[in-house]
């Protein structure tokens, strides 16, 4: 999945500030997870409480991330192919 596809998908939970898709630095292949930063903690909480979201045939697990300020605005997403 590319950044813009994820940005569009996650906007259903609230305003998305940023999407970072992690890639292997040698192969440039995605590493199977991304970080989604929402503009509000409420949007992140909405997704995290749901636990999973599906985009196409890809199911993604949502987990909270901790930042130094301890705000809940960022979610870690790991996907699994069916």
């Amino acid at each position: 999945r590319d950044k813009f596809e994820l940005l569009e998908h996650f906007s259903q939970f609230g305003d998305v500030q940023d999407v970072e898709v992690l890639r292997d630095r040698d192969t440039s292949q995605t590493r199977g997870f991304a970080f989604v930063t929402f503009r509000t903690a409420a949007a992140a909480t909405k997704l995290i409480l749901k636990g999973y979201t599906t985009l196409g045939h890809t199911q993604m697990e949502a987990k909270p991330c901790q930042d130094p300020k301890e705000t809940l605005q960022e979610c870690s997403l790991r996907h699994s192919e069916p």
Side-chain angles (χ1 to χ4, degrees):
R1 304 284 180 200
D2 71 21
K3 178 177 181 166
F4 299 105
E5 188 177 19
L6 293 173
L7 182 83
E8 183 177 321
H9 176 76
F10 289 105
S11 66
Q12 69 182 298
F13 298 99
D15 288 336
V16 176
Q17 180 175 321
D18 187 40
V19 174
E20 180 182 2
V21 178
L22 276 72
R23 298 186 174 278
D24 181 279
R25 88 180 99 171
D26 295 326
T27 66
S28 295
Q29 296 290 325
T30 63
R31 293 179 50 200
F33 66 100
F35 293 101
V36 177
T37 304
F38 291 94
R39 294 199 187 278
T40 66
T45 300
K46 186 176 181 180
L47 173 58
I48 291 165
L49 289 175
K50 186 174 178 186
Y52 289 88
T53 185
T54 302
L55 177 58
H57 295 288
T58 303
Q59 185 177 47
M60 296 172 277
E61 179 182 11
K63 295 181 180 181
C65 293
Q66 297 293 328
D67 73 10
K69 299 174 196 137
E70 295 189 28
T71 61
L72 184 61
Q73 290 180 313
E74 189 170 55
C75 299
S76 170
L77 299 156
R78 183 168 298 276
H79 74 79
S80 58
E81 298 295 333

